[in-house]
Amino acid sequence: GVRATVDVRSVNHRFIDLKLRAQVSPALEDAIAAKIKATVERGAITVSLHLDKPRGASAIRIDVARAAHAELVALAHELEIAEPDLALVLAQPGVIAAQDAGEPDAAVMAALEAALAQLAEMRASEGRALATELGTRLDELAQLRAKIDAIAGHVPEQLQKRLHERLRRLLGDDSASVDATRIAQEVALLAERADVTEELVRLGSHLEQARVLVGGRAAAGRRLEFLVQEIGRELNTIGSKSQDAEITSHVVEAKAILEKLREQVQNVE
């Protein structure tokens, strides 16, 4: 005897944010919230509910009306006033009551379950497309990391060559008289400052962890957000340490890709 229409909408959100657009009993509201939280772990969820009840759902309860009339007549005689009319009787609480057209809770929960099933199907479809996009961005970052790693291996040689050229410009022919040990120490010091080995190792680990999360079935949005922050931190450190223009160029390109990754991760549960 009751028709329930439930509409469920979901958009991205850092946590679970539930909004119910309906006037229902507290018990039913709690049941709806529990059902949604068991299905969705992250997102802004809006639930709209509409109930259609059969017409003529109200009727006069004759026995109650007679009892109310008798009580009012007795009171009128006691107060020596006119007896009450039918309108006064019908105005008493409980005289007019809704017929039991069936409990709406079962209809609401059935409609909610169907809506959530459709929502899950749509989210899964969009999630597969999103996983492909995220995988592509992670591949691009991995390729840039490999390029930076290859260039970083030649940094000490480049630093030594650059130092010798600087000495020749400053000292001319006298540059040959500079202590070779001292030059080696300076090169070692510069190479240590420019060394990005640890950052590249951590960057590779973060990218691999992100790839595992994207390929998994558990909720991973928050962890992916954290990994994106860590990837950005490693890229910033590499960029600040590097004195090579090519490495700097690759870092800038990686940051642009990371920004696209950061935007898409917001849509992951």
Side-chain angles (χ1 to χ4, degrees):
V2 175
R3 178 185 296 274
T5 303
V6 173
D7 181 78
V8 180
R9 303 188 180 204
S10 171
V11 296
N12 60 332
H13 195 276
R14 291 189 63 188
F15 306 102
I16 181 72
D17 180 29
L18 176 59
K19 295 180 181 178
L20 179 59
R21 295 178 177 173
Q23 295 294 330
V24 296
S25 66
L28 181 56
E29 184 175 352
D30 290 342
I32 292 173
K35 183 68 176 178
I36 291 175
K37 290 179 180 179
T39 306
V40 180
E41 296 188 33
R42 189 185 191 211
I45 311 297
T46 301
V47 180
S48 300
L49 170 62
H50 179 70
L51 289 174
D52 289 326
K53 297 181 179 180
R55 295 180 179 179
S58 61
I60 298 175
R61 301 176 62 179
I62 301 300
D63 294 339
V64 176
R66 287 174 176 168
H69 179 264
E71 292 291 336
L72 291 172
V73 168
L75 180 60
H77 290 170
E78 181 180 344
L79 299 176
E80 297 181 353
I81 60 175
E83 293 186 2
D85 57 14
L86 183 58
L88 182 60
V89 174
L90 296 179
Q92 302 310 305
V95 174
I96 298 180
Q99 292 178 340
D100 186 7
E103 289 295 331
D105 294 22
V108 170
M109 296 306 294
L112 176 64
E113 187 170 350
L116 288 175
Q118 294 178 15
L119 177 67
E121 182 180 353
M122 178 61 70
R123 282 158 60 93
S125 176
E126 293 186 359
R128 286 188 291 270
L130 186 57
T132 301
E133 168 69 13
L134 294 176
T136 299
R137 300 305 177 191
L138 290 173
D139 289 341
E140 293 173 349
L141 288 174
Q143 292 171 6
L144 288 172
R145 179 203 167 276
K147 292 179 180 179
I148 294 173
D149 192 16
I151 298 171
H154 301 289
V155 166
E157 298 176 9
Q158 294 176 355
L159 290 173
Q160 184 176 11
K161 181 180 178 181
R162 195 176 304 165
L163 183 58
H164 279 298
E165 291 176 352
R166 188 175 302 170
L167 288 174
R168 278 196 298 270
R169 287 197 304 269
L170 293 174
L171 304 177
D173 295 337
D174 294 336
S175 63
S177 62
V178 178
D179 186 8
T181 303
R182 179 61 178 170
I183 293 178
Q185 291 176 346
E186 289 295 330
V187 170
L189 182 61
L190 292 172
E192 183 179 359
R193 291 176 179 175
D195 183 35
V196 293
T197 302
E198 293 183 7
E199 288 77 9
L200 288 172
V201 170
R202 288 194 295 266
L203 178 59
S205 175
H206 296 334
L207 292 175
E208 185 59 32
Q209 290 180 57
R211 195 181 304 279
V212 171
L213 290 174
V214 170
R217 299 186 63 85
R222 294 181 190 174
R223 284 178 288 176
L224 282 172
E225 285 184 355
F226 173 75
L227 284 174
V228 166
Q229 292 178 359
E230 293 301 306
I231 292 171
R233 184 175 289 110
E234 302 303 337
L235 289 174
N236 286 334
T237 305
I238 293 172
S240 63
K241 282 187 172 184
S242 173
Q243 299 182 17
D244 184 273
E246 194 172 0
I247 289 180
T248 302
S249 175
H250 289 325
V251 168
V252 171
E253 184 180 355
K255 286 183 177 180
I257 295 172
L258 184 64
E259 191 58 33
K260 296 178 182 178
L261 188 66
R262 191 193 311 276
E263 293 175 359
Q264 294 290 5
V265 163
Q266 301 298 320
N267 297 310
V268 179
E269 183 183 59

